[in-house]
Amino acid sequence: MQLGDASKVVPVDKFSIVITLVMAAVFLHEQFTVKTIIGSVFITFGDFYYDFIKSHRSDV
């Protein structure tokens, strides 16, 4: 990740938090709190929104 383009690395890096939370819930039977769910939704939405905007704008 240190050698990649920052605009491509950051969304993957931030989405790894959501993947970690899901894996913790599945394998370790961790409980989600309301804050965790809201945060995960915001991270996921922001990641997909950024990818959508980046892929549809040529000047960015």
Side-chain angles (χ1 to χ4, degrees):
M1 286 191 178
Q2 293 178 353
L3 300 177
D5 184 20
S7 65
K8 295 178 183 172
V9 172
V10 171
V12 172
D13 182 45
K14 298 304 175 195
F15 196 66
S16 68
I17 297 169
V18 176
I19 293 171
T20 303
L21 289 171
V22 171
M23 289 177 60
V26 171
F27 296 114
L28 302 175
H29 305 291
E30 293 283 334
Q31 297 295 317
F32 281 124
T33 64
V34 174
K35 289 180 183 179
T36 307
I37 293 170
I38 292 171
S40 297
V41 168
F42 279 139
I43 290 171
T44 303
F45 175 75
D47 192 27
F48 286 121
Y49 178 76
Y50 179 79
D51 288 342
F52 178 77
I53 293 299
K54 185 72 173 172
S55 66
H56 286 83
R57 290 183 63 181
S58 61
D59 62 340
V60 175

